[in-house]
Amino acid sequence: MDREEMPIGFSMALAMNPEAMQKFAMLSEDKKQKIIAGTHTVRSKEEMNRYVSSIVSYDKTDYLI
């Protein structure tokens, strides 16, 4: 995955949450794409931070937020 594909707000929020960043990095490319697609409905910085925090509890069944 190219870094250019990731929305800047998502990238910034991910950088501020090392645990979520580590979890995200360990996911398959398909799961990463699903999470990135979900960022398109996020409308605020606070909401993005909550979305990124939810990655920590993201499990293999594709549930997020």
Side-chain angles (χ1 to χ4, degrees), residues 35-48:
I35 290 173
I36 291 169
T39 66
H40 299 296
T41 62
V42 175
R43 298 290 174 230
S44 71
K45 179 180 178 180
E46 293 78 19
E47 192 176 345
M48 184 63 78

Side-chain angles (χ1 to χ4, degrees):
M1 170 185 319
D2 295 340
R3 292 188 68 83
E4 295 80 31
E5 294 178 30
M6 292 177 40
I8 189 71
F10 177 67
S11 297
M12 292 173 65
L14 204 55
M16 298 299 291
N17 188 328
E19 187 177 5
M21 184 184 295
Q22 181 179 19
K23 177 81 178 221
F24 183 78
M26 293 173 26
L27 295 172
S28 69
E29 290 301 313
D30 182 55
K31 292 183 190 308
K32 288 177 184 176
Q33 288 300 323
K34 287 179 182 178
I35 290 173
I36 291 169
T39 66
H40 299 296
T41 62
V42 175
R43 298 290 174 230
S44 71
K45 179 180 178 180
E46 293 78 19
E47 192 176 345
M48 184 63 78
N49 288 337
R50 285 192 303 273
Y51 186 79
V52 167
S53 291
S54 71
I55 294 171
V56 174
S57 59
Y58 182 75
D59 64 20
K60 303 286 185 205
T61 59
D62 291 340
Y63 297 113
L64 188 65
I65 298 187

